[in-house]
Amino acid sequence: MERDLHSMNEMLIGEVNQYLSEHPSVIEQIPRGAVIVVQVTDDPEFNEWSERMAKANRELNQPLVYFKIRALAPPHSRILGAELTTSGVS
């Protein structure tokens, strides 16, 4: 089964955006107008694809910034409280 690199990239871009919003000092290190190339430790197939896509879509002389992700924490719910109500079952 072929991996869906586009979906993986979309998910990782969301994670990068969240990371950057929580770490504004990192944003300061990114040149204005740069294209961010997402890279994942131990995933050469994705990394090659991601770099190829970034280079194909950037403008002339637009800088590339490589954002390497070493690991992701397991996904979890952000719900702080929940309540269930059950109606009568017959």
Side-chain angles (χ1 to χ4, degrees):
M1 184 166 106
E2 186 175 321
R3 290 174 62 193
D4 187 351
L5 298 176
H6 287 279
S7 292
M8 181 176 172
N9 190 58
E10 286 180 21
M11 181 273 296
L12 292 172
I13 291 290
E15 293 293 334
V16 168
N17 285 335
Q18 182 67 34
Y19 182 87
L20 292 174
S21 73
E22 294 173 5
H23 300 86
S25 63
V26 176
I27 295 172
E28 297 169 7
Q29 300 174 45
I30 300 172
R32 187 173 193 83
V35 173
I36 295 177
V37 183
V38 178
Q39 302 282 273
V40 179
T41 298
D42 297 328
D43 195 340
E45 178 189 16
F46 175 81
N47 295 342
E48 186 276 327
W49 176 87
S50 178
E51 183 175 31
R52 189 174 69 244
M53 293 297 106
K55 287 180 176 179
N57 291 300
R58 75 177 178 165
E59 296 177 13
L60 185 63
N61 298 321
Q62 190 175 16
L64 296 176
V65 173
Y66 291 81
F67 190 104
K68 188 170 189 177
I69 298 172
R70 287 185 240 143
L72 289 174
H76 65 281
S77 173
R78 296 180 294 145
I79 297 171
L80 298 176
E83 179 180 322
L84 296 177
T85 304
T86 303
S87 64
V89 179
S90 41

